[in-house]
Amino acid sequence: MQKQTKSGWYWLFLIPFIGTLWPPFYASYRPTLAGFPFMYWYLILWIFLVALLSGIVYLIDNR
């Protein structure tokens, strides 16, 4: 039988969606970080943030 969850922590997954929803916000060259344009390091940062958010939701949901 499947476990039914009614966790409100899943709403955290909207944060990355909103942060990457509007490309004109982050589609720029400056500021650069170690020679990478803003767009690249902004999106790569979201990869790590989504992994962190997923870990938080997983740990809280499986307590």
Side-chain angles (χ1 to χ4, degrees):
M1 195 171 270
Q2 280 187 331
K3 175 180 141 183
Q4 288 185 350
T5 59
K6 295 181 181 177
S7 177
W9 290 98
Y10 288 106
W11 287 101
L12 284 176
F13 291 123
L14 282 177
I15 295 170
F17 178 71
I18 293 169
T20 58
L21 183 65
W22 194 48
F25 171 72
Y26 57 85
S28 64
Y29 184 77
R30 288 195 169 84
T32 60
L33 181 67
F36 288 100
F38 177 70
M39 182 185 77
Y40 290 120
W41 64 262
Y42 179 79
L43 292 175
I44 291 170
L45 177 66
W46 275 111
I47 293 170
F48 294 109
L49 291 175
V50 168
L52 179 68
L53 288 174
S54 297
I56 290 169
V57 171
Y58 175 79
L59 290 175
I60 290 172
D61 195 42
N62 287 321
R63 277 197 271 176

